[in-house]
Amino acid sequence: MDTRFEAGIQRLREAVLTGPGMLDRDLRAAAYQALDNPGPLAVYVKQIASQAYKVTDDHVLALRNAGFSEDQIFEATVCAAVGAGLARLERGLDALKSAERA
């Protein structure tokens, strides 16, 4: 990764994963990594990580019905989106590095 951005990305990662929040840190970490979470959270996180544009009110309603608060849903959304975005960034940078070496 470009060293100009490493510190900022690390601060973002720390804020998302360990900053104050309503969602349990283990659930935040699992959402960030798109790992399996309990019940509807797993479905929601996978949807955010793979096809965020297909998230519907029904996804959010399922989480509300499972007992998640609006704040927890927001935090899960941010964790999943940041994790997916940074993973894509890393893959893209790796591809560029590979192309430069070829």
Side-chain angles (χ1 to χ4, degrees), residues 3-72:
T3 56
R4 294 177 294 171
F5 304 110
E6 285 179 14
I9 289 173
Q10 184 58 32
R11 283 193 309 273
L12 172 63
R13 189 179 292 119
E14 288 174 6
V16 166
L17 295 175
T18 64
M22 301 302 293
L23 189 63
D24 180 78
R25 286 184 180 181
D26 290 338
L27 291 178
R28 284 191 258 165
Y32 178 88
Q33 297 172 14
L35 300 175
D36 283 338
N37 283 297
L41 192 56
V43 172
Y44 182 72
V45 164
K46 288 181 187 221
Q47 192 70 51
I48 294 289
S50 64
Q51 299 173 320
Y53 64 95
K54 290 186 176 182
V55 171
T56 66
D57 290 342
D58 290 337
H59 290 101
V60 176
L61 184 59
L63 292 174
R64 294 281 300 155
N65 289 338
F68 290 95
S69 70
E70 293 289 329
D71 288 338
Q72 290 173 318

